């Protein structure tokens, strides 16, 4: 995955700059992308965009990016607010996470933004109400 190496290299450079400036960092992972092309999408361009995201999500590419970024941050002593892990757990427990995406492709609904806010607060306060497992990706 050439893109993964470039992504990690770019993230590493960004983290270097921030850490050299003594800026406190919390790395927040993203949500999962759509797991199927929703019937709600009728525009061909949106359906193609959704299929591309499905391919990335279902092939493990997105998992690899999230794991690599999280591992890099943890290795550097940077806290990780792992929302991706929570979205994966929702899907593994039978929740249709594609329906939790406002555009049915990649952006969470307004109510799911709360998950990010609460997760960030947990991370800032060194809590993990969800659980402390890092091996679920």
């Amino acid at each position: 995955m050439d893109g993964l190496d470039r992504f990690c290299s770019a993230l590493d450079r960004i983290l270097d700059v921030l850490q050299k400036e003594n800026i406190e960092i919390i790395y927040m992972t993203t949500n999962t992308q759509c797991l199927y092309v929703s019937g709600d999408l009728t525009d061909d361009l949106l359906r193609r965009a959704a299929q591309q995201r499905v391919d990335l999500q279902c092939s493990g590419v997105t998992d690899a990016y999230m794991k690599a970024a999280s591992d890099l941050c943890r290795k550097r002593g940077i806290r990780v607010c792992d929302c991706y892990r929570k979205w994966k757990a929702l899907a593994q427990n039978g929740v249709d996470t594609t329906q939790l995406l406002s555009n049915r492709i990649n952006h969470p609904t307004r109510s799911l933004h709360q998950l990010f806010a609460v997760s960030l607060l947990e991370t800032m306060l060194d809590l993990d109400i969800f659980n402390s497992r890092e091996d679920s990706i």
Side-chain angles (χ1 to χ4, degrees):
M1 269 189 248
D2 292 341
L4 182 58
D5 292 337
R6 287 192 313 271
F7 171 77
C8 288
S9 179
L11 178 58
D12 203 34
R13 288 191 307 272
I14 291 167
L15 297 173
D16 273 342
V17 170
L18 296 172
Q19 286 185 315
K20 284 178 185 170
E21 294 296 324
N22 294 315
I23 295 171
E24 186 176 358
I25 306 166
I26 295 176
Y27 183 81
M28 181 183 282
T29 59
T30 187
N31 50 274
T32 58
Q33 300 178 69
C34 56
L35 297 174
Y36 59 88
V37 177
S38 172
D40 295 345
L41 301 174
T42 57
D43 180 83
D44 286 340
L45 183 62
L46 291 178
R47 291 183 65 76
R48 284 195 305 272
Q51 186 61 58
Q52 290 172 342
R53 299 312 178 276
V54 168
D55 295 344
L56 291 171
Q57 188 65 56
C58 294
S59 68
V61 170
T62 307
D63 288 354
Y65 274 77
M66 292 301 102
K67 183 173 181 353
S70 296
D71 288 351
L72 174 62
C73 289
R74 287 186 180 102
K75 182 174 140 186
R76 293 180 69 125
I78 295 168
R79 289 184 290 172
V80 176
C81 178
D82 199 351
C83 294
Y84 188 77
R85 176 175 52 95
K86 293 178 181 185
W87 278 74
K88 292 283 289 190
L90 287 169
Q92 290 166 354
N93 285 290
V95 175
D96 184 348
T97 54
T98 299
Q99 291 300 309
L100 300 178
L101 301 169
S102 61
N103 61 1
R104 303 295 188 259
I105 300 172
N106 63 353
H107 191 83
T109 60
R110 178 172 277 211
S111 61
L112 264 289
H113 281 108
Q114 185 174 353
L115 176 121
F116 289 92
V118 170
S119 298
L120 183 57
L121 184 60
E122 288 173 358
T123 303
M124 291 168 64
L125 298 175
D126 290 323
L127 302 172
D128 190 351
I129 295 168
F130 182 70
N131 68 38
S132 61
R133 290 187 9 208
E134 297 176 5
D135 61 344
S136 58
I137 294 180

